[in-house]
Amino acid sequence: MFNRILGKPKQPSNNALSTLDKLNETLEMLEKKENLLQKKASAEVEKAKAYTKAKNKRAAIQCLKRKKLYEEQMGQLANFQLRVHDQMILLEGAKATTDTVDALRSGAAAMKAMQKATNIDDVDKTMDDINEQTENMKQIQEALATPIGSAADFDEDELEAELEELEGAELEEQLLEPASTAPAAPVQAPAGRVPARPAPQRRTEEEDELAALQAEMAL
């Protein structure tokens, strides 16, 4: 999928890579030549010392002249190496810049492709569908919460009024309720005396008639 959007990743520039390889080879060649010239210059110094010991001044001077020529060539090779190093640094920087631009270009192309795949109209339609489904679900929940049967016939206003009356009556009872008093202390009977039992109450005529009726029914 991403390959279709981004396309095939671009390979590094073969021209830049081959140029860097060529510069590396040139640098190695220059270093080898510089080392060879250094050895030759050192050898000419040793020859000059030997000719000096042999009292051959002319030959010793010729050796020193050749040493100077070698040193001049070494200086030129050092400048060549510096130029090659500069060229390699510039080329590597240019390659890094090119790779960065290619990566950014690929990212921009991918973003553009995804924006085309995601149309703003489709997004709006999707949000409208979500809002519609949400509203439908709210209506369903409200319908399920609506009372049915006898409970649907109850008048909410009447129930609230009745509740207010009950609350008012309860508050009035609390206000009219006398303050609680401490229970009276039990009367202690004198020691050695048993408190007299209360005299039984006499039955009323109705109770006598009820007792007689129960007796007759038992017979």
Side-chain angles (χ1 to χ4, degrees), residues 122-167:
D122 295 337
V123 175
D124 291 339
K125 186 177 182 302
T126 301
M127 295 305 300
D128 291 340
D129 292 340
I130 293 174
N131 293 331
E132 183 179 357
Q133 295 301 324
T134 302
E135 186 64 26
N136 291 339
M137 182 57 64
K138 288 182 180 179
Q139 293 178 2
I140 293 173
Q141 293 174 350
E142 292 176 357
L144 293 175
T146 302
I148 59 176
S150 300
D153 297 333
F154 295 152
D155 190 345
E156 295 291 337
D157 294 335
E158 292 181 359
L159 294 176
E160 291 181 1
E162 184 177 354
L163 179 60
E164 291 179 359
E165 291 178 0
L166 292 176
E167 292 176 349

Side-chain angles (χ1 to χ4, degrees), residues 99-131:
D99 292 342
T100 302
V101 172
D102 289 340
L104 293 175
R105 186 182 295 111
S106 298
M111 183 66 69
K112 186 176 181 180
M114 286 186 288
Q115 288 178 353
K116 288 183 178 179
T118 306
N119 193 345
I120 186 63
D121 295 334
D122 295 337
V123 175
D124 291 339
K125 186 177 182 302
T126 301
M127 295 305 300
D128 291 340
D129 292 340
I130 293 174
N131 293 331

Side-chain angles (χ1 to χ4, degrees), residues 176-195:
L176 295 177
E177 184 178 356
S180 59
T181 58
V187 179
Q188 299 290 336
R193 295 180 61 183
V194 179

Side-chain angles (χ1 to χ4, degrees), residues 6-7 27 33 45 50 52 73-74 80 85 100 102 108 114 133 149 169 190 207 210:
L6 299 177
L27 187 61
K33 285 187 176 182
V45 172
T52 300
Q73 292 182 8
M74 290 170 58
F80 293 162
H85 276 295
T100 302
D102 289 340
M114 286 186 288
Q133 295 301 324
E207 292 177 345
L210 179 61

Side-chain angles (χ1 to χ4, degrees), residues 1-213:
M1 176 179 178
F2 288 102
N3 288 333
R4 292 197 302 270
I5 296 176
L6 299 177
K8 293 183 179 180
K10 293 184 178 180
Q11 298 296 330
S13 175
N14 293 330
N15 187 22
L17 292 177
S18 61
T19 303
L20 286 172
D21 292 339
K22 183 63 176 179
L23 290 173
N24 278 318
E25 293 175 0
T26 303
L27 187 61
E28 292 177 359
M29 180 269 295
L30 293 173
E31 290 175 351
K32 290 179 180 179
K33 285 187 176 182
E34 184 180 7
N35 292 332
L36 180 60
L37 292 174
Q38 181 65 48
K39 291 179 180 180
K40 288 182 178 182
S42 298
E44 292 298 332
V45 172
E46 294 299 326
K47 290 178 182 181
K49 290 179 180 180
Y51 285 130
T52 300
K53 290 180 180 180
K55 305 299 182 179
N56 189 347
K57 183 178 180 181
R58 183 181 180 84
I61 291 175
Q62 292 297 325
C63 291
L64 293 177
K65 287 181 179 181
R66 287 192 293 270
K67 180 184 78 71
K68 289 291 185 180
L69 292 175
Y70 291 145
E71 288 177 352
E72 289 179 0
Q73 292 182 8
M74 290 170 58
Q76 291 178 356
L77 293 177
N79 290 331
F80 293 162
Q81 293 179 51
L82 182 59
R83 289 179 179 275
V84 172
H85 276 295
D86 291 341
Q87 189 66 30
M88 291 177 64
I89 292 173
L90 291 175
L91 185 59
E92 288 175 352
K95 181 178 180 300
T97 302
T98 302
D99 292 342
T100 302
V101 172
D102 289 340
L104 293 175
R105 186 182 295 111
S106 298
M111 183 66 69
K112 186 176 181 180
M114 286 186 288
Q115 288 178 353
K116 288 183 178 179
T118 306
N119 193 345
I120 186 63
D121 295 334
D122 295 337
V123 175
D124 291 339
K125 186 177 182 302
T126 301
M127 295 305 300
D128 291 340
D129 292 340
I130 293 174
N131 293 331
E132 183 179 357
Q133 295 301 324
T134 302
E135 186 64 26
N136 291 339
M137 182 57 64
K138 288 182 180 179
Q139 293 178 2
I140 293 173
Q141 293 174 350
E142 292 176 357
L144 293 175
T146 302
I148 59 176
S150 300
D153 297 333
F154 295 152
D155 190 345
E156 295 291 337
D157 294 335
E158 292 181 359
L159 294 176
E160 291 181 1
E162 184 177 354
L163 179 60
E164 291 179 359
E165 291 178 0
L166 292 176
E167 292 176 349
E170 183 178 358
L171 179 60
E172 185 178 357
E173 291 179 359
Q174 292 178 357
L175 294 176
L176 295 177
E177 184 178 356
S180 59
T181 58
V187 179
Q188 299 290 336
R193 295 180 61 183
V194 179
R197 295 181 179 179
Q201 298 179 355
R202 297 180 62 183
R203 293 190 299 181
T204 62
E205 294 180 357
E206 293 179 356
E207 292 177 345
D208 293 338
E209 293 177 357
L210 179 61
L213 180 59

